[in-house]
Amino acid sequence: MVRIGMVYSRARVEEKMLLDSAHQQGIELVPVQDDQLILDLDPGALPYDAVLERSVSYTRSLYILRFCRAHGIPAINPYEVAATCGDKTETSLRLRQAGVPTPRTKVAFEPEAALTALDQLGYPAVIKPTLGSWARMVARVDTRREAEQILEHREQLPNPIQQVYYLQEYVEKTGADGLHRDLRAFVVGDQTIAAIWRNSPHWITNTARGAKASVCPVTPELNELCLKAAKAVGGGVLALDLMETPQGLTVHEINHTMEFRNSVAPTGVDIPGLILQHAVREAKQ
Amino acid sequence: MSQTLQQTTTQATPNEALECPECAAALPIRPTLAGELVDCKGCSAELEVVSLQPLLVQLAPTIQEDWGE
């Protein structure tokens, strides 16, 4: 039987669901909290046939995955996938190179350049950190004056990565009911296993920020686009964020350490079970 | 262990009741994993189990800049 290490930071609902599912499926899943990890240049610190990487810290996850790569331990997801998906700029570049529809995006380093880029994109627009998740510090700006204020605040932040201005066209996603809506689709290996619509009175539609999930059918069109986008970033176990536009679906973000607690019930899909089965397939046999 | 950690961490042996490091209310918890989060019924503080043996809890860290999915 393969032995899978689940490296995690906090025992969230997802980690408990994975452990419960492993128990039910007879899969050996060993929880390893990243706080306790001591990694070594010599193999042995991660004595597993595969590592399911669930650290909540992007920084820690990249280092853990570097060791997995160096020691030949299959990781879900591999270092290259995490490095790509964790950086919105890299994700956007990969999507564009692969011909996947994605919102118009520009990157600038100085406020004046960012303002010029925003003029080119047109208002409203969205200013995002290139690194970051859960929609933290994502700002919709409707005017140049608003953008100046956001950029002025971002300039004061101590981390230089916050002065990498990832600027994107704003995609209107308000439905007839007045709610904002986007899609989240879950890809495991070569299949789009489930999708949800995320509905919110706020333009930020993360379920972590209060959006309500409802099941979205996985049509052949959605499946084909999701697999193409997943392949563009290296594939694996991924959660894709998409928006509906008059021209069709557009992919704006791909997450490599997916949260799924709010998606199992509406879709009826055993997401943790399918993640584990993928990990077993990827493991050293 | 840092001074900050010492001040915000409480410990219990199997025969002792664990206390909230913030308000000293009893915490009737039986965690099975390090990293579990619990809410104190006394003060609503979010606490994190940092060790099972010995059982240690501390105030959960605030969300860091690089956290996410």
Side-chain angles (χ1 to χ4, degrees), chain A residues 95-163:
Chain A
L95 291 173
R96 174 55 61 88
Q97 287 167 352
V100 176
T102 193
R104 289 186 298 131
T105 300
K106 296 178 186 291
V107 172
F109 307 113
E110 292 290 338
E112 276 305 314
L115 288 167
T116 302
L118 286 165
D119 288 341
Q120 294 168 357
L121 286 169
Y123 291 94
V126 184
I127 304 175
K128 301 179 180 181
T130 194
L131 302 186
S133 190
W134 299 330
R136 287 193 310 276
M137 289 197 290
V138 171
R140 169 184 157 156
V141 288
D142 291 333
T143 65
R144 201 173 208 270
R145 176 167 293 183
E146 287 178 6
E148 287 171 349
Q149 292 167 347
I150 295 292
L151 295 168
E152 185 178 348
H153 281 81
R154 285 274 295 275
E155 279 292 294
Q156 301 306 314
L157 297 177
N159 189 341
I161 199 71
Q162 297 301 346
Q163 283 89 52

Side-chain angles (χ1 to χ4, degrees), chain A residues 23-34:
Chain A
H23 181 70
Q24 289 167 14
Q25 297 188 70
I27 295 170
E28 186 178 5
L29 183 67
V30 182
V32 184
Q33 199 188 20
D34 59 14

Side-chain angles (χ1 to χ4, degrees), chain A residues 8 11 57-59 136 162 259, chain B residues 34-35 37 60 65-69:
Chain A
Y8 72 102
S57 158
Y58 180 56
T59 308
R136 287 193 310 276
Q162 297 301 346
E259 292 168 340
Chain B
L37 298 177
E65 195 171 316
D66 72 335
W67 284 15
E69 57 172 335

Side-chain angles (χ1 to χ4, degrees), chain A residues 234-278:
Chain A
V237 173
L238 300 165
L240 290 73
D241 294 342
L242 305 94
M243 295 180 286
E244 298 157 291
T245 77
Q247 292 76 39
L249 292 166
T250 185
V251 181
H252 62 283
E253 198 166 313
I254 302 181
N255 299 280
H256 61 283
T257 316
M258 63 164 74
E259 292 168 340
F260 49 79
R261 72 181 71 177
N262 298 314
S263 303
V264 172
T267 63
V269 175
D270 178 16
I271 296 174
L274 292 170
I275 292 172
L276 288 168
Q277 289 163 24
H278 176 81

Side-chain angles (χ1 to χ4, degrees), chain A residues 53-94:
Chain A
E53 208 292 307
R54 298 281 312 168
S55 284
V56 76
S57 158
Y58 180 56
T59 308
R60 289 187 186 190
S61 70
L62 290 183
Y63 279 93
I64 292 161
L65 292 170
R66 282 186 175 104
F67 278 84
C68 290
R69 182 179 60 178
H71 295 162
I73 303 167
I76 298 93
N77 288 303
Y79 172 84
E80 290 77 9
V81 175
T84 297
C85 295
D87 187 324
K88 293 181 180 66
T89 302
E90 185 67 30
T91 302
S92 296
L93 286 167
R94 298 289 185 95

